[in-house]
Amino acid sequence: MVRHPGSSGFLFFSWGFYVLSLSLNHAVFAAGWTIFIFIGTYLEEQGLREEFGTAYDDYARQVPPFCPKLDFFAGKRPHPPKKDDDNDDYRSGEHARSPLLRS
């Protein structure tokens, strides 16, 4: 989830197009749009902060502007369940692994 999905999609598209073509024209195109989008979103967020106040600040702290949070880079990735000594399964209960998947 990002605050500006249209802008981030266009940025990924324009820089991806540059990476595929590696031409100076596409680099200038992507850089120009990047500057335009960053300035535009900065001004847009100023207006949103004036309109919504601290509610928007809380939202902005939780949701990144352009690139989704990748929790595995932040050390928040889920750890695999610990193996239970009484059971050869890693999980028990209704979420237990199928007997067909056991090795």
Side-chain angles (χ1 to χ4, degrees), residues 47-63:
L48 291 170
R49 281 190 171 86
E50 288 175 11
E51 185 174 346
F52 296 107
T54 59
Y56 187 79
D57 289 335
D58 294 339
Y59 169 71
R61 269 190 233 100
Q62 296 172 4
V63 181

Side-chain angles (χ1 to χ4, degrees), residues 7-99:
S7 298
S8 64
F10 188 76
L11 287 174
F12 285 123
F13 168 77
S14 62
W15 283 105
F17 197 76
Y18 161 70
V19 168
L20 290 175
S21 67
L22 293 177
S23 78
L24 181 62
N25 290 339
H26 292 136
V28 171
F29 172 81
W33 274 107
T34 300
I35 293 168
F36 177 77
I37 287 174
F38 282 178
I39 291 171
T41 54
Y42 173 78
L43 295 174
E44 178 186 11
E45 288 194 350
Q46 293 296 323
L48 291 170
R49 281 190 171 86
E50 288 175 11
E51 185 174 346
F52 296 107
T54 59
Y56 187 79
D57 289 335
D58 294 339
Y59 169 71
R61 269 190 233 100
Q62 296 172 4
V63 181
F66 298 107
C67 188
K69 286 182 182 177
L70 302 176
D71 288 341
F72 56 89
F73 285 131
K76 296 180 182 176
R77 74 177 151 197
H79 297 287
K82 297 191 190 275
K83 188 171 181 177
D84 188 6
D85 293 333
D86 299 336
N87 189 353
D88 64 341
D89 241 346
Y90 283 98
R91 293 177 243 170
S92 59
E94 66 182 68
H95 300 294
R97 291 176 59 192
S98 167

